[in-house]
Amino acid sequence: MQRKNITEVTEFIFLGFSIFGKHQITLFVAFLTIYILTLAGDIVIVAIIRVDHHLRTPMYFFLSMLASSEAVYTLVIVPRMLFSLILHNQPISWEGCATPMFFFVTLAVNSGLLLTAIGYDRYVAICNPLRYTVVMSKGMCAGLVCGSFGTGLVMAVLHVAAMFHLPFWGTVVDHFFCDIYPVTKLSCTDSTINEMINYGVSSSVILVPVGLIFITYVLIISTSLKIPSARGRKKAFATCTSRLTVVIVHYGCASVIYLKPKSENSIEKDLLSVTYTIITPLLSPVVYSLRNREVRDALRRAVGKNTS
């Protein structure tokens, strides 16, 4: 993409959390704490899965990819957000807006599709265990990971190419990062076609994975009901409930933000975006890995080796 003759705007300014006034320092401390915990959790998960041979299974391969994706995903958004909470009205260049948007869309879609891959992995493991090693081969795992990232890449190209070929009249983004709809609102021409493209792309990467995830977990729950042990049924339900909570939070917020773009309630949008970009990445490592007994055992083994 070339900027020449596309727009006179050379930089943007985020309105961000300016409405909270003096409370922005409190928000800075809270968001920084959550970000450090998220980043630390993702690093620990990737490291422990890499070094512990007991965790070299398809499920943990997907979890390590999810942790890596969300670590970079938050790195694209959160540091700039923290920076704007301390130093207000700092401008960001045209390129500095387009680049984070590209990586944000790529990694957000990638993380969502990896949640779908994890659901499919658990479906095969529980509903068809005898064929698990055949179905979830190395080729299948690599294909699902590459497909997730490739889909995110294509969606990002469509979004960013459509977005930054618009001429802009405004520079103040009513958000805390360069998200799709807040930037689209700054266009000085009719952006109906862009909104249709954005809505179509968002619908496909939200509704299709959600449908697949819920189908897999319905099948998993129906199979779990046949477990003779009450303890086994309780454990299966607890696992499904916690994982579905992450999916509901992740895709629920994304649905309101991107499938209901006409809402003018900026505070509501900001709160949902904070949940989507900060809270959910913290929930994923906790629910999918740190609550997992095998991961905790691997951590104990790693700590034991280091202290012995």
Side-chain angles (χ1 to χ4, degrees), residues 54-128:
H54 294 92
L55 302 181
R56 291 175 187 172
T57 64
M59 184 183 75
Y60 293 111
F61 172 68
F62 292 133
L63 288 177
S64 67
M65 293 296 103
L66 177 63
S68 300
S69 179
E70 292 196 331
V72 181
Y73 164 78
T74 54
L75 186 63
V76 171
I77 302 299
V78 180
R80 175 69 200 193
M81 182 191 70
L82 295 172
F83 180 74
S84 64
L85 281 169
I86 299 298
L87 301 173
H88 312 297
N89 298 327
Q90 291 295 311
I92 184 172
S93 68
W94 186 94
E95 294 83 359
C97 183
T99 302
M101 183 185 290
F102 176 82
F103 284 105
F104 167 73
V105 174
T106 300
L107 296 167
V109 173
N110 180 55
S111 295
L113 293 177
L114 285 174
L115 291 175
T116 310
I118 292 170
Y120 177 68
D121 173 82
R122 291 300 84 201
Y123 158 72
V124 177
I126 294 172
C127 300
N128 199 358

Side-chain angles (χ1 to χ4, degrees), residues 13-260:
I13 296 173
F14 298 126
L15 192 60
F17 299 99
S18 57
I19 191 172
F20 291 97
K22 62 182 180 180
H23 299 294
Q24 290 187 73
I25 299 299
T26 304
L27 291 176
F28 173 84
V29 174
F31 293 158
L32 178 61
T33 302
I34 294 173
Y35 177 59
I36 291 173
L37 290 174
T38 302
L39 198 59
D42 288 331
I43 291 172
V44 168
I45 289 166
V46 172
I48 202 68
I49 290 174
R50 184 175 180 83
V51 301
D52 195 297
H53 69 276
H54 294 92
L55 302 181
R56 291 175 187 172
T57 64
M59 184 183 75
Y60 293 111
F61 172 68
F62 292 133
L63 288 177
S64 67
M65 293 296 103
L66 177 63
S68 300
S69 179
E70 292 196 331
V72 181
Y73 164 78
T74 54
L75 186 63
V76 171
I77 302 299
V78 180
R80 175 69 200 193
M81 182 191 70
L82 295 172
F83 180 74
S84 64
L85 281 169
I86 299 298
L87 301 173
H88 312 297
N89 298 327
Q90 291 295 311
I92 184 172
S93 68
W94 186 94
E95 294 83 359
C97 183
T99 302
M101 183 185 290
F102 176 82
F103 284 105
F104 167 73
V105 174
T106 300
L107 296 167
V109 173
N110 180 55
S111 295
L113 293 177
L114 285 174
L115 291 175
T116 310
I118 292 170
Y120 177 68
D121 173 82
R122 291 300 84 201
Y123 158 72
V124 177
I126 294 172
C127 300
N128 199 358
L130 296 179
R131 288 181 50 80
Y132 179 75
T133 54
V134 176
V135 175
M136 300 306 297
S137 62
K138 289 184 178 181
M140 172 63 79
C141 294
L144 289 173
V145 169
C146 292
S148 298
F149 184 77
T151 302
L153 202 60
V154 170
M155 297 306 175
V157 170
L158 290 174
H159 271 304
V160 176
M163 174 74 62
F164 287 94
H165 275 78
L166 292 172
F168 298 108
W169 66 268
T171 60
V172 179
V173 181
D174 188 13
H175 206 39
F176 58 87
F177 71 98
C178 280
D179 204 357
I180 297 163
Y181 290 107
V183 176
T184 302
K185 288 167 62 177
L186 301 180
S187 172
C188 60
T189 60
D190 184 8
S191 59
T192 302
I193 294 177
N194 289 78
E195 290 179 3
M196 291 175 63
I197 293 172
N198 292 337
Y199 189 82
V201 170
S202 299
S203 298
S204 64
V205 297
I206 291 174
L207 299 180
V208 173
V210 166
L212 293 174
I213 289 171
F214 276 99
I215 289 171
T216 57
Y217 278 104
V218 166
L219 294 172
I220 290 171
I221 291 172
S222 64
T223 301
S224 300
L225 289 173
K226 301 174 185 177
I227 298 175
S229 166
R231 183 179 179 182
R233 288 196 300 271
K234 183 178 179 181
K235 181 179 178 182
F237 278 116
T239 301
C240 289
T241 301
S242 60
R243 292 186 176 188
L244 281 174
T245 299
V246 175
V247 172
I248 291 170
V249 172
H250 179 89
Y251 281 111
C253 292
S255 298
V256 175
I257 294 168
Y258 299 108
L259 301 185
K260 190 185 174 184

Side-chain angles (χ1 to χ4, degrees), residues 278-291:
I278 299 177
I279 306 300
T280 304
L282 176 63
L283 288 176
S284 293
V286 173
V287 169
Y288 281 92
S289 299
L290 299 181
R291 290 182 71 251

